[in-house]
Amino acid sequence: MKKILVVGSANADLTIHTSRMPKLGETIPGNEFSTAAGGKGLNQAAAVAKLGGEVSFLGAVGCDTHGQLLLHTLQEYGISFQGMESKEEATGIALVTVAGGDNFIILSPGANNLVTPALIEQKESLIAEADCVVMQLEIPLESVIRAAEIAAAHGTMVFLNPAPARELPDTLLGMTDVLVPNEHEAESLTGICTDSEEGCVSAIQQLRGRGAETVIITRGEQGCAYNIGDNVMFCPAEKVHAVDTTSAGDSFIGALCVKLTDGADLSDAVKYAGKVSAVTVSRKGSSISIPYAEELDF
């Protein structure tokens, strides 16, 4: 079995559901409040584990109640925690409001900021021994870059989810084997709207020109666009009733990583990831909404 290392964020998701978003200064009723394990890094690690991959997680949590929740969740999913517990910083928090099947999120990074380049360097052997490393942007950017540098030096494949959206140096893109932005992140990186197929083609071409080898743009209900060499392909989305999209992208990336490291071709991996994401959005919650491999009928 291939070894997958996720380097990234872990947050306690404080989630509330409501019928619509409030206007500025307005108070409206909500329901179904919950506190659960989340964060893009933890969610992606959970997706890999639940879909049958061997995965370790490099991140940071606080020595508090939320930190214990996250560590318990990692253990429950069989994920090896290779990070740090901090007495100085609180565990990261995500305030999630779910309205009409979509979500709005405010982050307080807390201990996630302690995933520094120095910590990455201390864990070089983990990156060297992994077949691929999966990262996002909820930890310091310099740490993501340092991890990519170490991965490149050891021939470890790099998956990068550029979320939350921000400017990225071409040096990082040049060390990225598989870049997976959603349509908003792709537009932020390129200045090109990806509402149309023509826009997707242009955005993918630009990102490949800046160094990324394979680019997959996830587009929600419109499916995704991806390249095989110079050819841009399109995969339609599964038709489902979306209840909560919180972990849609994270489940997609985890599924994609599992399939590609197992030797699947890119088109089959993308189709599989799309189906996993469709199941995820049909359920409420973050990591808990991601299906196990045995739940899937394909």
Side-chain angles (χ1 to χ4, degrees), residues 10-93:
N11 297 318
D13 285 355
L14 278 58
T15 303
I16 191 166
H17 291 252
T18 184
S19 59
R20 63 175 177 83
M21 287 300 294
K23 298 176 183 178
L24 186 64
E26 181 186 20
T27 299
I28 62 174
N31 57 75
E32 298 182 61
F33 176 79
S34 64
T35 301
K40 287 188 172 296
L42 187 148
N43 288 341
Q44 290 169 17
V48 171
K50 294 173 84 170
L51 295 170
E54 180 180 344
V55 57
S56 299
F57 177 69
L58 175 52
V61 300
C63 293
D64 50 30
T65 302
H66 289 144
Q68 291 304 305
L69 168 67
L70 303 190
L71 293 176
H72 174 76
T73 301
L74 291 169
Q75 183 179 34
E76 181 182 11
Y77 292 147
I79 300 166
S80 174
F81 179 64
Q82 298 292 334
M84 65 176 294
E85 297 178 64
S86 172
K87 295 181 179 179
E88 287 75 36
E89 290 285 347
T91 299
I93 295 293

Side-chain angles (χ1 to χ4, degrees), residues 50 292-297:
K50 294 173 84 170
Y292 285 93
E294 55 267 28
E295 295 181 74
L296 304 171
D297 57 0

Side-chain angles (χ1 to χ4, degrees), residues 34 123 134 148 156 175 194 269 287:
S34 64
K123 304 293 184 176
V134 183
T156 301
M175 295 183 287
T194 58
S287 61

Side-chain angles (χ1 to χ4, degrees), residues 254-268:
L256 182 78
C257 187
V258 167
K259 280 299 181 184
L260 289 179
T261 55
D262 278 348
D265 66 39
L266 183 59
S267 291
D268 286 343

